[in-house]
Amino acid sequence: MKKYKIIALAMLACISLNGWAQDNGVVGKVLDKRGNPVIGALVTIESDPLIQTATDANGRFEIMAVKDNVLRIQTGDDAMKTVAVGSDKMMTIVMDFSAEKVNYGFGLNQTQAESTGAVSTVYAEQIDTRSALNIGNSLYGNVLGLTTMQKTGNVWEQIPSMYIRGQKTLNGNNGILLVIDGLERDNNWNALNYITPEEVESVSVLRDAAAIALYGYKGINGVLNIVTKRGKYKSREINFSYDHSFNFQARIPDMADAFTYASALNEGLANDGKAARYSPNELNAFKSGKYPYLYPNVNWFDEVFRDRGASDIATLTFRGGSTKMRYFTMMNLQNNSGFIDHVNENEGYSTQDKFSKANFRTNLDIDLSPKTRMQANIMGVLNEFSRPSLGGDNLIGKLYSLPAAAFPVQTEDGLWGGNETWGANWNPAALTRGRGYSKGHTRALYADMSLRQDLSSITKGLGASVRIGYDNIASYWENYTVSYKYGMKSATSWKDGEPFEFKNFTGGEVSKVTGDNAKLDWQHRSFNFQANVDWKRQFGAHDIYSMLLYTYKYDNKNGTNTTFFHQSAGWYTHYGLKNRYMADFTLMASASNVLDPGHRWTISPTVGLAWVISNEGFMKNQQVIDFMKLRASFGLLNTDNIPSNGYWNTTVGGGSNYPIKENFSGDGGWAEGRLASINGTTEKAYKYNGGLDVSLLKGLTLSVDGFYERRSDIWVSAAGRNSSVLGISSPYVNGGIVDSWGTEIGLDYTKSLGNVKIMAGGTFTYNRNKIVEMMEEPKAYDYLRSTGKSVGQIFGLQAIGYFVDDADIANSIPQQFGPVKPGDIKYKDVNGDNVVNENDFVAMGYNASCPEIYYSFNLGFEWKGIGLNAQFQGVGNYTAFLSSNLYMPLVDNTTISQYAYNNRWTPATPNARFPRLTTEEMDNNQKTSSVWLADRSFLKMRNCEVYYKLPSTFLSKIHMKHAKVYVRGVDLLCFDSIDLTDPEAMGSVSPATRSVHVGLSVGF
């Protein structure tokens, strides 16, 4: 009987609880700003965090809450929003712009509504649109404030150059800080090549003083914070994607054929007053192709390259968890096969340019107790890559240098072509078919763990965290190259229009690889430690968050003087009033072992302010502006940029001038070198920023920033202020000053109109700088000074044409750069002293490393699962040097491009693009001048994707959550004024590539 009573009571309790839930439960749905359901978001009651639930596959949730309770919604990417429960029991919560996460690193996450710093963020769906092999090549034009320039070459070496707000210092160290999940990783940016887009949740660019204050000496040029994906609450996802690409080389320059080269060479020799190398019979032989082994006509690019390469990317991820434990695990496999042709002509191995990589990552979040949370992240990388011959053989350089007429690919007897002029390892076909190969391996481990403890038992809002990280990366090379014999038969005389006498040349020898051929190429190890104590409280209208932080980092590379220590200790406080007025205060003390032992610690204060205008009472009744915030920040930051190791000591080296110790071995003794730099200090940045963030019309977001920075105490040489009577190298002093300024504008629009979704946006960045002081030596004229110009300003002579004939030379102003001839460049006499010399150089063009203008725009739409996305990215105020032998041919037996031949000066073409042909080093013509500069501005279509998402009604029948198939084009179009090559592949470098991708992604 007792048993039945217990059952009855339990049933009554369930009925009562169910009725109570129906009376007090809140049902809702969480959507992202594009209207998609947010899966696995944690929903808690702010006053009682133990009451929690998570959204399901449709973004729905149900929680026990009553009116006026405040719900806190936190998504998988850490966006956060608080919403008060009203009388409506069905809530729709949109994670809009104000709810997006701003990740400063060090566990400091704020929403856009709270943040005072200039931080721009791009998320997973915008990152993974290029089918890139690494995250570094996924960011062109994606993130406001980040200038990313593409690099060509071997896949494993394509680490792009990156700038945040341009160049700001004179010492060449304008590189930004790379941070992964809040920890600085290796200093060489290798992680950009190892992390895949598929594992990235977001990428944030930290740009102003308030945003980078916590990073001590390292963050002065800006911070790129990559955040990887983490688990989700009460959900389970399995996703698989596969991508195959067809790759093509773009704009391979046309090199002159044998006849054109021979004619050009004869013309150049004639211009130099020398005899022709090729006779009329030989010219005819090149033109007719009658004697291919004596007078070859080889297109070396065609002999080396095939039309198409390929790559594959396969990714499997597992993501989900419970309220106690969340996980994200990824396995990624990649391979890339390059453009080398005829790669299987040797038994047992291929000479293809190949790359393969395996990535593994797992991120865990474990609630060890209600007040203790642990995070553990680990990523392992295995790379293997190979290339024909050795990198030192400079295959690409020889493709741009070797004439079509040099020698045949192989002789009639099967010997590799070669001769006395172009000898060992000059035959590109031999380098890719008969020289063997070299193989590299890279192994990387990135691991970190953190513990977070709630200490509210001591005092409400108190907490503490500790985190450690360890990286170990090493690269190894194996050499499997051999040497080979080469030679050719050549005609020494002609008779009756036919070759009559001959000679044979052979060189080189055949060898096999023996012995130990492996080596450690480089290695990098680092250790990170972070600890902080923080306190967060709300007192009525006042919100306070304060943190004490300590960081330590140890770096070690193979080699000498490569062990570095950095540490920082600081205090950060965030204050908010009525959710309208925000202030951040940071005070960081930092130290570095590369600085003078007496001046290693400095203090950097920063302040950030924000006013959330949309929370003011006068904004409540309008329907246009959803969110509006004004921001301002200012601060002093320091960095450990140094002029040289041990700059505080006088250097001593070998020499014969002013010996300080006689050396009786006869090598000249030891001599005093550069004087010591005493009383030095750190390079400083005074940063100022003002910004506006606006979200309006339920879909349009605008962000505008203006900035100014003064970089002072930059290390420069004092030689410009010292007389040569000093008789010794001048010391370095903190005498440099650079001002920089600019603006950044970001726009994003997302709207759903029935079944149609529209996505559009763009970014625009303009940065400019001026050297205020660099202790420059006195110059005869102010226009010769770099002071007052921008960092990296090009100086050159202003070309006004070419000398027409000897009479023109005789009647023109003399030029003091060696003798000139008709067809040589004529320069402007800038200062009017009736002579052209080093005093006539003027500033021209823009920087050749970092453009002043960087912009992008994108447009996309989707209708019933069918979609199109296109992204364009461009640069402006960017200059190219035309310095390679593509434009300066024939010197040192190099070939000539068809472009240079068609645009050379001749008496019949006095207004040509380039000067006369010559086979000699011509100092006058090779001076930096307007002739050798070109506008490097471009606009590229970076990505274009057409896709189809299968309907959910069909997918649910086969137990799938989503499925998508797509075709993508990457870098298919480029609009520019560079006539010969891609503007991102200037000079004798590997051509740029274009690719077409087909792929699919499915989720369960």
Side-chain angles (χ1 to χ4, degrees):
M1 186 68 180
K2 183 177 180 181
K3 172 179 162 183
Y4 294 114
K5 288 181 179 179
I6 293 173
I7 294 173
L9 287 171
M11 293 176 65
L12 286 171
C14 290
I15 293 170
S16 300
L17 285 171
N18 186 55
W20 184 82
Q22 290 176 353
D23 290 339
N24 298 279
V26 172
V27 178
K29 191 172 186 178
V30 180
L31 304 175
D32 65 18
K33 64 181 182 180
R34 288 181 168 81
N36 302 312
V38 178
I39 304 170
L42 181 67
V43 183
T44 60
I45 297 178
E46 196 165 60
S47 59
D48 190 355
L50 294 179
I51 301 176
Q52 59 183 237
T53 187
T55 57
D56 61 17
N58 297 311
R60 294 174 60 86
F61 68 91
E62 185 173 347
I63 192 169
M64 306 300 295
V66 297
K67 186 178 179 181
D68 296 329
N69 278 163
V70 176
L71 300 185
R72 186 175 188 269
I73 297 89
Q74 183 176 355
T75 64
D77 59 4
D78 282 338
M80 196 273 290
K81 190 171 187 176
T82 56
V83 181
V85 177
S87 56
D88 189 355
K89 294 297 181 72
M90 181 62 194
M91 304 179 66
T92 299
I93 302 168
V94 179
M95 305 302 291
D96 53 18
F97 175 76
S98 64
E100 288 182 357
K101 176 186 69 172
V102 178
N103 190 317
Y104 289 102
F106 305 102
L108 178 59
N109 293 322
Q110 297 176 343
T111 64
Q112 284 284 358
E114 299 171 309
S115 171
T116 66
V119 181
S120 50
T121 303
V122 63
Y123 293 94
E125 64 270 16
Q126 300 158 279
I127 296 170
D128 190 16
T129 57
R130 276 179 62 87
S131 299
L133 298 175
N134 57 64
I135 187 62
N137 288 311
S138 301
L139 301 176
Y140 303 110
N142 270 335
V143 201
L144 178 63
L146 180 67
T147 298
T148 308
M149 305 305 298
Q150 191 169 18
K151 181 181 177 181
T152 66
N154 294 318
V155 170
W156 61 88
E157 296 175 335
Q158 290 184 11
I159 300 177
S161 62
M162 292 185 173
Y163 302 90
I164 294 175
R165 296 186 167 177
Q167 295 181 314
K168 299 176 282 289
T169 184
L170 295 166
N171 64 13
N173 185 7
N174 286 285
I176 66 176
L177 177 65
L178 174 64
V179 172
I180 312 295
D181 290 325
L183 283 180
E184 178 195 345
R185 311 321 293 221
D186 61 274
N187 293 330
N188 292 329
W189 294 1
N190 287 298
L192 285 174
N193 257 359
Y194 303 152
I195 293 180
T196 64
E198 291 83 359
E199 64 194 286
V200 174
E201 184 69 62
S202 66
V203 176
S204 296
V205 177
L206 284 61
R207 313 192 301 275
D208 70 339
I212 62 180
L214 298 176
Y215 288 92
Y217 286 152
K218 293 295 193 72
I220 194 167
N221 293 328
V223 177
L224 184 73
N225 187 13
I226 298 173
V227 178
T228 59
K229 294 178 180 177
R230 312 205 67 80
K232 294 182 178 181
Y233 290 88
K234 292 186 179 180
S235 62
R236 181 180 62 192
E237 300 176 7
I238 301 175
N239 294 291
F240 173 78
S241 64
Y242 173 75
D243 182 283
H244 177 79
S245 74
F246 304 91
N247 305 324
F248 311 89
Q249 290 182 311
R251 294 167 70 171
I252 296 176
D254 292 329
M255 308 307 291
D257 62 22
F259 174 75
T260 303
Y261 162 75
S263 301
L265 184 64
N266 282 355
E267 182 179 319
L269 289 167
N271 290 337
D272 299 332
K274 299 178 181 179
R277 178 177 296 182
Y278 297 106
S279 68
N281 283 329
E282 291 176 309
L283 291 175
N284 290 332
F286 282 127
K287 191 170 186 178
S288 68
K290 186 177 180 180
Y291 311 104
Y293 295 103
L294 296 173
Y295 299 96
N297 181 22
V298 183
N299 186 320
W300 292 110
F301 279 91
D302 285 350
E303 290 294 330
V304 168
F305 290 140
R306 60 182 181 176
D307 293 334
R308 188 174 70 239
S311 65
D312 298 278
I313 307 172
T315 307
L316 179 64
T317 65
F318 303 87
R319 190 178 191 182
S322 63
T323 54
K324 300 294 184 183
M325 193 272 285
R326 279 81 57 201
Y327 61 87
F328 172 78
T329 298
M330 183 207 71
M331 291 173 283
N332 176 272
L333 296 175
Q334 303 176 1
N335 72 74
N336 176 271
S337 183
F339 301 98
I340 305 299
D341 206 356
H342 307 288
V343 296
N344 297 312
E345 296 185 0
N346 301 280
E347 185 177 352
Y349 66 90
S350 166
T351 57
Q352 184 58 268
D353 224 343
K354 294 185 296 184
F355 168 78
S356 60
K357 182 177 75 165
N359 267 41
F360 172 82
R361 169 178 289 279
T362 186
N363 293 343
L364 297 175
D365 295 80
I366 303 172
D367 295 339
L368 301 177
S369 74
K371 294 188 176 183
T372 307
R373 173 178 292 185
M374 181 182 78
Q375 285 187 346
N377 308 320
I378 187 168
M379 182 181 81
V381 180
L382 291 175
N383 285 0
E384 183 173 294
F385 33 88
S386 64
R387 60 187 172 206
S389 67
L390 289 169
D393 287 335
N394 192 18
L395 172 63
I396 291 295
K398 286 167 183 172
L399 285 171
Y400 286 100
S401 302
L402 187 66
F407 44 72
V409 174
Q410 288 181 299
T411 67
E412 293 175 281
D413 299 326
L415 191 68
W416 289 114
N419 53 32
E420 299 97 324
T421 303
W422 299 280
N425 299 324
W426 261 95
N427 187 328
L431 292 179
T432 56
R433 305 181 208 175
R435 179 76 166 132
Y437 69 103
S438 49
K439 180 191 292 186
H441 308 265
T442 301
R443 303 162 191 172
L445 171 69
Y446 295 87
D448 59 272
M449 184 181 73
S450 65
L451 282 173
R452 170 71 183 171
Q453 181 64 46
D454 184 344
L455 299 175
S456 56
S457 58
I458 299 175
T459 183
K460 186 177 180 181
L462 187 66
S465 299
V466 63
R467 187 176 186 183
I468 58 173
Y470 177 73
D471 303 340
N472 193 330
I473 313 154
S475 181
Y476 303 87
W477 274 98
E478 302 173 26
N479 175 20
Y480 296 100
T481 57
V482 297
S483 59
Y484 55 86
K485 282 188 175 182
Y486 60 91
M488 72 173 293
K489 182 179 180 180
S490 58
T492 58
S493 66
W494 286 65
K495 184 177 180 180
D496 298 328
E498 297 289 336
F500 180 64
E501 294 182 328
F502 308 91
K503 74 170 184 178
N504 286 295
F505 169 83
T506 58
E509 60 181 11
V510 177
S511 70
K512 294 183 178 179
V513 175
T514 58
D516 184 9
N517 57 15
K519 68 169 184 175
L520 173 67
D521 193 30
W522 56 265
Q523 184 177 25
H524 182 97
R525 294 175 296 166
S526 65
F527 172 78
N528 274 283
F529 175 79
Q530 297 176 359
N532 69 279
V533 176
D534 51 77
W535 181 65
K536 185 176 183 179
R537 288 291 298 273
Q538 183 173 2
F539 301 94
H542 306 276
D543 291 294
I544 297 176
Y545 174 86
S546 190
M547 174 176 67
L548 295 175
L549 173 69
Y550 174 77
T551 68
Y552 171 85
K553 188 163 191 291
Y554 160 89
D555 289 284
N556 176 259
K557 302 176 186 178
N558 57 312
T560 58
N561 297 321
T562 56
T563 300
F564 306 109
F565 303 89
H566 290 85
Q567 56 183 322
S568 294
W571 169 59
Y572 166 83
T573 293
H574 172 82
Y575 171 73
L577 176 63
K578 298 180 181 180
N579 292 324
R580 284 178 278 178
Y581 315 108
M582 314 293 173
D584 287 346
F585 306 94
T586 307
L587 193 65
M588 294 296 293
S590 304
S592 167
N593 72 323
V594 304
L595 296 171
D596 176 354
H599 302 84
R600 289 184 171 172
W601 283 92
T602 56
I603 296 176
S604 301
T606 62
V607 176
L609 304 171
W611 175 27
V612 183
I613 303 172
S614 52
N615 286 345
E616 294 287 357
F618 60 81
M619 296 288 288
K620 295 299 182 183
N621 296 322
Q622 53 84 36
Q623 302 298 318
V624 177
I625 296 174
D626 308 314
F627 174 79
M628 177 182 284
K629 179 180 68 175
L630 278 174
R631 293 178 280 103
S633 68
F634 52 91
L636 165 63
L637 298 176
N638 293 268
T639 185
D640 61 345
N641 289 344
I642 60 173
S644 65
N645 288 326
Y647 60 89
W648 56 87
N649 295 317
T650 299
T651 61
V652 178
S656 58
N657 295 329
Y658 305 103
I660 61 176
K661 180 180 179 181
E662 188 66 31
N663 188 323
F664 295 101
S665 64
D667 65 0
W670 295 96
E672 190 176 16
R674 185 180 297 276
L675 290 175
S677 301
I678 58 176
N679 298 321
T681 185
T682 54
E683 182 178 323
K684 298 175 177 62
Y686 298 86
K687 292 177 177 280
Y688 305 87
N689 191 91
L692 171 68
D693 300 318
V694 182
S695 177
L696 62 161
L697 301 174
K698 306 298 182 184
L700 179 62
T701 302
L702 173 67
S703 180
V704 180
D705 278 88
F707 62 89
Y708 167 78
E709 176 176 335
R710 164 153 287 195
R711 190 71 65 92
S712 65
D713 289 330
I714 303 171
W715 286 102
V716 294
S717 173
R721 298 296 173 89
N722 294 332
S723 169
S724 59
V725 175
L726 181 65
I728 195 171
S729 296
S730 296
Y732 294 105
V733 294
N734 297 107
I737 301 173
V738 175
D739 286 347
S740 58
W741 62 92
T743 187
E744 299 154 338
I745 303 172
L747 186 69
D748 181 76
Y749 180 71
T750 303
K751 197 71 174 178
S752 294
L753 303 172
N755 292 324
V756 178
K757 293 182 180 179
I758 300 172
M759 296 82 69
T763 66
F764 176 84
T765 298
Y766 172 77
N767 61 81
R768 184 75 170 154
N769 60 69
K770 182 177 73 172
I771 301 171
V772 178
E773 180 58 75
M774 59 181 295
M775 289 204 165
E776 190 174 11
E777 68 274 12
K779 297 290 179 68
Y781 301 94
D782 285 343
Y783 61 79
L784 295 171
R785 294 171 55 83
S786 293
T787 305
K789 311 297 192 305
S790 61
V791 175
Q793 175 66 62
I794 299 168
F795 283 81
L797 296 162
Q798 182 62 54
I800 57 175
Y802 300 100
F803 293 109
V804 176
D805 51 29
D806 291 333
D808 186 21
I809 295 173
N811 295 322
S812 297
I813 294 174
Q815 299 186 174
Q816 296 182 345
F817 309 120
V820 294
K821 295 183 178 182
D824 288 337
I825 305 173
K826 183 189 294 188
Y827 299 115
K828 182 179 180 180
D829 176 20
V830 174
N831 58 6
D833 62 355
N834 291 320
V835 64
V836 175
N837 54 24
E838 300 293 340
N839 289 329
D840 293 299
F841 279 76
V842 295
M844 55 179 57
Y846 298 93
N847 194 284
S849 300
C850 178
E852 289 185 351
I853 296 173
Y854 192 89
Y855 62 95
S856 66
F857 56 92
N858 64 278
L859 179 65
F861 74 89
E862 181 179 321
W863 174 74
K864 293 185 178 181
I866 301 172
L868 170 68
N869 284 315
Q871 183 196 36
F872 294 81
Q873 180 262 310
V875 302
N877 291 5
Y878 190 33
T879 296
F881 272 113
L882 307 182
S883 57
S884 73
N885 54 33
L886 288 172
Y887 305 98
M888 300 180 179
L890 301 181
V891 179
D892 293 330
N893 296 307
T894 57
T895 188
I896 183 171
S897 66
Q898 192 65 45
Y899 177 75
Y901 184 78
N902 293 342
N903 289 277
R904 75 197 189 283
W905 179 93
T906 67
T909 56
N911 298 315
R913 176 70 175 85
F914 300 118
R916 67 179 174 93
L917 298 180
T918 177
T919 63
E920 300 175 336
E921 294 282 350
M922 184 61 191
D923 190 42
N924 182 84
N925 292 350
Q926 292 177 343
K927 291 292 184 183
T928 300
S929 74
S930 56
V931 170
W932 307 116
L933 300 182
D935 182 6
R936 202 175 178 181
S937 303
F938 64 81
L939 172 63
K940 286 192 173 185
M941 186 173 72
R942 288 296 190 184
N943 316 312
C944 185
E945 178 187 63
V946 178
Y947 63 86
Y948 176 61
K949 295 179 180 178
L950 276 66
S952 57
T953 53
F954 167 74
L955 294 175
S956 61
K957 297 177 182 178
I958 55 176
H959 306 288
M960 291 178 63
K961 292 180 180 178
H962 64 83
K964 170 184 170 181
V965 293
Y966 62 82
V967 177
R968 280 179 191 153
V970 174
D971 293 330
L972 293 183
L973 296 176
C974 181
F975 306 95
D976 62 85
S977 56
I978 301 296
D979 296 317
L980 190 56
T981 62
D982 187 282
E984 291 186 293
M986 299 295 297
S988 301
V989 299
S990 297
T993 59
R994 297 170 178 168
S995 56
V996 175
H997 300 251
V998 293
L1000 64 89
S1001 62
V1002 295
F1004 301 89

